[in-house]
Amino acid sequence: MGPYLVLATLLALVATVVLAWPLRGSRALFAGLVVAIPVMALSLYQLVGTPAGLDPAQRRAPETLEEAITQLQADLERDPRQVEGWRLLGRALQQQERMVEARDAFARAARLDPEDLGLQTEYAESRSRADAQRRFDDEAVEVLEHVLGLDPTQQRARLFLGIAYRQAGRNAEAASTWEPLLATLGGDAAAGLRAQVDDARASAGLDPLPPMAQREDPTAADDGLHVRVALDPEFAARVRLDPAAVVFVIARSPGVPMPVAAQRHTVADLPLDIVLGDADSPMPTQPLSALPEVEVLARISSSGSATPQEADLSSAPVRVRLPATDAVELVLGAAPRGR
């Protein structure tokens, strides 16, 4: 660092001489400025600047995770208002199994941006990972409840909150918290979560969820909601979609983001001709048939997640009064109609 400070001092001195040269007639004033200005400039730089930035070794790209963490910590010490910086630091520290430090980094980020629900969920998770028994404490539970209160479609928050309730012996609440996730999962993931729901219900003294085969009503094809989903032909001719991309067909209470009935398909299955019924309700206590009116839409998920993303492609929602006799027609990729 020494050579760089000497060089900086010489440059400041030369610049001062050039600027003060017109005052050379007054030797005392000229000499005072030549001495005072470089000293003031270097002192100010030491106070609010980045002296280490003069050293090229400090500016090279980090070669290890440890170096990256050190540089990030130094950067955050200079400017602690960087939300993403604290978030990245938390993730990096978790990779090094430094869970308590990671929790503290996520806490800083969460305080800076309380409206980022994904970040709040990460903070709650970091609290459990910093605990020796991996338990969600009261603060983590409060954060997760707040997240779901603002947005019930936050899947990770819902999963973690169910775990937290289960850890606390709040088994009925754990089961009811997890149940809406069942409609958003497929295959082994849905079966595994369903087993956890049934275990929680058993611990609460409740009957297990009825097996899917028993929940299916033989008259569902007549009493359910008939839905047809297709791609707009012009859109399909212009855009190449991944055949394996997930398509969700959802019926929900108007104004409520959580589905009361949902089916999961793929783009390869389009066009779809299906019936949404009570067997597709994620929560048996709130079946589709109990509602007087629903909003129906289809969505191609860019991530495979049931949580809507900006890159998803959705049909225009259609409001339907129940029971409905006519099929609901949903078109994906259709241009919005003019008024």
Side-chain angles (χ1 to χ4, degrees), residues 4-247:
Y4 299 101
L5 289 177
V6 171
L7 178 60
T9 302
L10 290 174
L11 290 174
L13 183 60
V14 170
T16 302
V17 169
V18 172
L19 292 173
W21 187 253
L23 302 176
R24 64 188 183 280
S26 174
R27 293 185 178 180
L29 180 59
F30 178 72
L33 289 174
V34 168
V35 173
I37 290 177
V39 171
M40 291 172 61
L42 290 174
S43 298
L44 182 63
Y45 184 66
Q46 287 285 343
L47 181 63
V48 300
T50 310
L54 295 170
D55 187 351
Q58 298 294 324
R59 295 177 300 187
R60 64 181 176 83
E63 297 180 357
T64 65
L65 181 59
E66 185 63 47
E67 287 184 2
I69 289 174
T70 300
Q71 289 192 19
L72 187 53
Q73 288 173 325
D75 190 39
L76 289 169
E77 186 175 348
R78 289 190 295 271
D79 181 9
R81 298 165 297 176
Q82 303 177 66
V83 176
E84 285 304 315
W86 288 111
R87 191 178 204 167
L88 289 173
L89 179 60
R91 291 172 177 174
L93 290 169
Q94 282 182 340
Q95 290 187 40
Q96 289 197 327
E97 300 295 323
R98 295 159 64 179
M99 298 304 180
V100 173
E101 294 174 80
R103 176 202 62 197
D104 295 341
F106 279 116
R108 296 289 295 268
R111 285 196 295 270
L112 287 169
D113 192 357
E115 296 183 1
D116 186 331
L117 301 185
L119 173 57
Q120 298 300 313
T121 301
E122 278 191 279
Y123 168 52
E125 181 189 12
S126 75
R127 295 191 67 84
S128 75
R129 297 182 71 173
D131 183 83
Q133 297 180 331
R134 295 295 190 264
R135 296 182 68 85
F136 289 86
D137 61 10
D138 291 343
E139 182 170 342
V141 171
E142 183 178 342
V143 169
L144 293 170
E145 289 176 336
H146 179 68
V147 168
L148 284 181
L150 294 175
D151 182 3
T153 66
Q154 291 286 326
Q155 287 181 286
R156 292 182 73 242
R158 183 171 292 280
L159 177 64
F160 292 147
L161 184 58
I163 294 172
Y165 284 157
R166 192 84 161 97
Q167 291 174 343
R170 299 163 63 176
N171 297 298
E173 292 170 275
S176 63
T177 299
W178 280 332
E179 283 177 27
L181 291 173
L182 293 174
T184 69
L185 301 174
D188 294 340
L193 181 59
R194 185 182 178 84
Q196 293 297 321
V197 170
D198 284 342
D199 284 346
R201 290 176 65 89
S203 298
L206 302 172
D207 293 332
L209 294 176
M212 291 300 296
Q214 295 180 19
R215 291 176 65 197
E216 292 177 359
D217 183 354
T219 63
D222 298 325
D223 298 338
L225 183 61
H226 190 184
V227 183
R228 296 192 185 104
V229 185
L231 286 171
D232 176 73
E234 184 178 341
F235 174 81
R238 290 187 289 106
V239 178
R240 185 175 225 172
L241 296 172
D242 181 359
V246 175
V247 179

